[in-house]
Amino acid sequence: MAQARLKAAFYRGGTSKAVLFNGADLPADKAIRDRIFLHVLGSPDAYGRQLDGMGGGISSLSKVVIVEPSERSDADVDYTFVQIAVDQPVADYGAMCGNMSSAVGAFALDEGMVAGLENSATVRVHNTNTGKIFHAIYPTENGKVVEEGDFEIPGVSGRGARVQLDFLDPGGASTGKLLPTDYAIENLEVDGEGRFEVSMIDASNPMIFLKAEAVGCSAMEAPADLDANADLMMRLDRIRRTAAVAMGMASAPDAAKLSNPRIAIVAKPAEFSALDGRSYGSSDYDIAVRMVSMGNFHRAITLTGAMCVAVAAAVPGSLVNQIVTEDGGFTIGNPSGLLPVQADVRSDNGKIFASSATAFRTQRRIMEGYVLFPARFLEDA
């Protein structure tokens, strides 16, 4: 069987990994692109390992990023994110990946789409999934991105150079409104499950926040233990799908996308052990968050999810606001450790407005070269 080659690079961005492509190198037909992406990542895989591709068997390791020069005056490059389902033939464009956002500007600099300065470079990025702009700021040396440094993030072994990500006007990324239902908190009636007090907030990505105790949890559990609770996972998915309808993101619960909105359980700080064995006390952080992504609890927290938490903390009356007492920046306790976040949220004539949300990541270019796929994918076009 004849093989075709496609130029690509493999990056870690924050706590995710993805195959990155220059948009100019890809076929124009979206259906062909998706078929290639699924093959390259190794999906669908009934065994959940993506052993026959570059994916890693979980949502944070099954991603594709497309980068190309932007025609917008306020952006240098366009960034399109594609979430590849592990066990289904699904290429989902419904959300943005905040973690991989840290690698987009580096890829643009490495590929010569943007010129770097002597000591730093700011890449203005337009995310096509949400229509939002963010600025990625990198340390550089001789115009090249510096990867080595002393900054550490939870979920990644070792240290690297700090990347600053400033998400501008993150509110309403998917629904057009920071508060899709106009309320910071409300009771959601879920068929077969009852009524739940939730906060539905759309900042960077739309999220549903639920008190952990409402579903019999503490938000200190390890992701694998939560995933193993089939009743819990089914209940959370029903809540998530019902909320998707309330947020105007689906016509019916069954029509809700797998990628968005996402749901998270939250709680006041308590002692917990992270996945690397480190222990944290209640005074070490400000809020505990366990978030579901693509049907499983995330091993850390998505960066867009963290940004939404940062904004939600400043929305008066929200479930997150009821827990977080710090003004400005604060720290999220997640399965992999602690993550500092901050957001600029203001009130204008009684309306809440999120000006920006900021987080810090590291990134690394792991591999560059070509990915292979059956040439008939192109012939079938």
Side-chain angles (χ1 to χ4, degrees):
M1 181 186 297
Q3 294 274 74
R5 293 162 26 115
L6 187 60
K7 187 178 178 182
F10 194 50
Y11 276 77
R12 176 186 62 79
T15 55
S16 293
K17 288 196 290 190
V19 182
L20 276 72
F21 297 95
N22 184 328
D25 296 328
L26 292 169
D29 189 291
K30 180 178 177 295
I32 298 174
R33 288 186 178 194
D34 290 353
R35 193 175 183 185
I36 293 171
F37 296 159
L38 287 163
H39 183 81
V40 169
L41 270 295
S43 293
D45 185 349
Y47 298 99
R49 298 177 64 192
Q50 292 177 309
L51 192 61
D52 201 35
M54 296 184 69
I58 57 177
S59 64
S60 59
L61 307 179
S62 183
K63 302 183 175 187
V64 165
V65 168
I66 305 168
V67 184
E68 50 201 327
S70 181
E71 296 183 356
R72 292 177 56 125
S73 61
D74 58 351
D76 301 308
V77 295
D78 287 341
Y79 154 42
T80 300
F81 173 67
V82 190
Q83 179 72 62
I84 303 300
V86 174
D87 59 351
Q88 303 175 49
V90 174
D92 194 314
Y93 291 73
M96 176 184 75
C97 177
N99 273 292
M100 288 313 305
S101 296
S102 61
V104 171
F107 179 81
L109 288 158
D110 289 339
E111 297 295 313
M113 296 181 192
V114 181
L117 301 176
E118 177 59 32
N119 296 315
S120 69
T122 298
V123 182
R124 303 172 304 161
V125 182
H126 165 236
N127 176 247
T128 65
N129 306 85
T130 63
K132 296 294 186 177
I133 299 290
F134 67 87
H135 293 171
I137 304 170
Y138 300 89
T140 58
E141 187 175 296
N142 298 322
K144 300 297 183 180
V145 177
V146 175
E147 293 184 349
E148 294 185 359
D150 58 5
F151 188 68
E152 184 178 8
I153 62 174
V156 178
S157 297
R159 301 170 183 265
R162 192 182 79 164
V163 179
Q164 179 173 326
L165 297 171
D166 295 329
F167 293 85
L168 310 183
D169 184 23
S174 294
T175 66
K177 298 170 65 177
L178 177 62
L179 300 178
T181 66
D182 296 323
Y183 298 100
I185 190 169
E186 58 189 290
N187 290 315
L188 186 72
E189 190 70 39
V190 181
D191 286 347
E193 297 292 346
R195 183 175 293 180
F196 295 88
E197 190 175 52
V198 299
S199 289
M200 295 175 278
I201 296 175
D202 182 5
S204 294
N205 265 342
M207 294 275 293
I208 303 115
F209 296 103
L210 175 73
K211 288 183 179 179
E213 62 188 40
V215 287
C217 297
S218 65
M220 308 300 149
E221 299 92 344
D225 294 334
L226 293 168
D227 285 346
N229 188 334
D231 289 340
L232 170 67
M233 299 306 293
M234 185 177 297
R235 173 176 287 185
L236 289 176
D237 191 55
R238 286 175 178 165
I239 297 170
R240 186 187 74 83
R241 290 178 179 275
T242 301
V245 177
M247 298 168 80
M249 299 183 66
S251 58
D254 289 345
K257 291 183 177 180
L258 186 61
S259 60
N260 262 333
R262 290 171 177 163
I263 189 167
I265 55 174
V266 297
K268 293 181 180 179
E271 185 176 343
F272 78 96
S273 295
L275 294 178
D276 64 356
R278 297 189 204 182
S279 294
Y280 297 95
S282 60
S283 62
D284 294 330
Y285 64 105
D286 301 291
I287 185 171
V289 180
R290 299 294 185 268
M291 191 192 80
V292 178
S293 174
M294 296 296 285
N296 294 102
F297 273 91
H298 201 279
R299 270 48 184 167
I301 182 172
T302 67
L303 195 63
T304 50
M307 294 298 91
C308 195
V309 174
V311 172
V315 175
S318 77
L319 292 178
V320 177
N321 175 256
Q322 292 177 20
I323 296 173
V324 177
T325 58
E326 297 294 324
D327 291 329
F330 63 95
T331 302
I332 299 170
N334 65 84
S336 288
L338 308 182
L339 176 65
V341 293
Q342 61 188 56
D344 181 11
V345 180
R346 304 172 185 177
S347 177
D348 184 9
N349 294 323
K351 183 178 180 180
I352 303 296
F353 176 76
S355 300
S356 65
T358 300
F360 304 94
R361 301 274 85 182
T362 61
Q363 62 81 37
R364 183 164 80 90
R365 187 176 177 108
I366 298 171
M367 183 279 297
E368 58 185 23
Y370 294 86
V371 291
L372 304 179
F373 60 93
R376 60 180 173 81
F377 285 11
L378 299 176
E379 296 167 2
D380 290 347

